[in-house]
Amino acid sequence: MRIDIVSIFPDYLGPLRLSLIGKAVDSGTIELHIHDLRDWTADRHRTVDDTPYGGGPGMVMSPEPWGRALDDIRGTTDLKPKLVIPTPSGARFVQSTAQQWSAHPWLVFACGRYEGIDARLAQFYHADQHWDGVAEVSIGDYVLAGGEVAAMVMVEAVGRLLPGVLGNEVSAADDSFSIDDSGELVEGPVFTRPQIWRGLEVPEVLLSGHHAHIVQWRAAQAQDRTEQMRSVDR
Ligand code: SAM
């Protein structure tokens, strides 16, 4: 899968070279390109923002450098990238979004700053036949300073689902939100050695070696934890 990320703080994306995703990049499973939006500015000050029409506080990112950057990145290939614009006002990014995107050959992330990117950018690329649509997505109901952390969250969630990234011994199918078709269930508690730690014992059933009982226990724990942690009354 190819992933491009455009930001005015390309160094912010450094952690994507580490750990699981870093290994996927090193092995070529992910072809990662990180770009500095300012490379597509046209003035001495490398300006990327301007005052908002209609007034109000803050600055808005101009569509001009963004348009040039995205056109250059797509180039002349026949492959259609999907444009991802992180924004708190977008549709919620969830595990099923990560699953769908993990089958996509090419994602391009446009990381906003300030009050966000001029809305015409999404409008234009939504209608551009050279692109496979635009996803304006939020990673949660809070406001970050920029799209970089959101892009990293999404790249990690998508990247770990790519074939070979987790390794054979681990399966994403047992993870929270993948356990059943509802996409709602979270995983129950997990334990490792020692068997007794500070007086606290590992549940007996996990030591029993009885596979069917363990499966049953884990399913019940997943139900309990989902109700406990994610009930609407919390
Ligand atoms: N004025 C915008 C609003 O109220 O919706 C917030 C802009 S925020 C300060 C700047 C940038 O951070 C956004 O353009 C987006 O790229 C990113 N961002 C902030 N919160 C986010 C979230 N919850 N999910 C995804 N991206 C977010």
Side-chain angles (χ1 to χ4, degrees):
M1 161 183 267
R2 175 170 169 178
I3 294 177
D4 289 73
I5 307 178
V6 190
S7 160
I8 56 168
F9 294 117
D11 292 348
Y12 223 101
L13 284 313
L16 290 176
R17 306 272 176 199
L18 305 173
S19 186
L20 199 76
I21 299 302
K23 281 190 194 138
V25 172
D26 289 344
S27 71
T29 304
I30 297 175
E31 183 191 332
L32 179 67
H33 301 270
I34 295 172
H35 310 270
D36 186 346
L37 176 68
R38 294 195 198 275
D39 290 345
W40 284 278
T41 51
D43 65 319
R44 202 158 60 84
H45 300 290
R46 310 182 82 204
T47 309
V48 293
D49 59 340
D50 208 334
T51 51
Y53 274 118
M59 300 293 274
V60 173
M61 292 191 109
S62 160
E64 298 280 14
W66 277 112
R68 286 192 289 269
L70 296 177
D71 291 348
D72 267 1
I73 288 167
R74 197 197 68 80
T76 51
T77 146
D78 284 341
L79 211 55
K80 291 183 176 192
K82 178 184 283 299
L83 178 59
V84 181
I85 305 182
T87 166
S89 62
R92 188 73 66 86
F93 176 85
V94 292
Q95 188 65 16
S96 58
T97 324
Q99 280 156 359
Q100 283 164 28
W101 290 3
S102 68
H104 205 285
W106 191 0
L107 302 175
V108 178
F109 290 84
C111 301
R113 282 265 154 184
Y114 318 122
E115 294 306 318
I117 307 173
D118 186 305
R120 289 168 295 179
L121 193 83
Q123 202 185 337
F124 180 88
Y125 286 98
H126 194 69
D128 186 336
Q129 297 304 305
H130 298 108
W131 289 73
D132 184 25
V134 178
E136 294 183 87
V137 279
S138 164
I139 60 162
D141 290 349
Y142 39 78
V143 179
L144 303 167
E148 291 77 12
V149 170
M152 281 195 281
V153 165
M154 293 187 264
V155 168
E156 187 162 314
V158 170
R160 69 189 286 286
L161 298 178
L162 297 175
V165 172
L166 284 180
N168 290 335
E169 69 283 6
V170 195
S171 165
D174 297 333
D175 282 334
S176 296
F177 317 117
S178 301
I179 298 170
D180 72 341
D181 290 341
S182 77
E184 303 279 332
L185 271 186
V186 298
E187 195 181 52
V190 292
F191 301 88
T192 185
R193 274 185 281 270
Q195 195 175 322
I196 303 173
W197 180 75
R198 299 189 178 182
L200 300 171
E201 295 192 28
V202 169
E204 191 76 41
V205 62
L206 298 178
L207 310 172
S208 68
H210 196 304
H211 184 64
H213 286 175
I214 293 172
V215 170
Q216 222 172 18
W217 181 85
R218 284 188 171 145
Q221 291 290 314
Q223 286 287 356
D224 285 356
R225 192 165 172 85
T226 305
E227 277 158 33
Q228 196 186 336
M229 293 296 187
R230 302 178 66 84
S231 114
V232 283
D233 302 331
R234 268 186 91 228

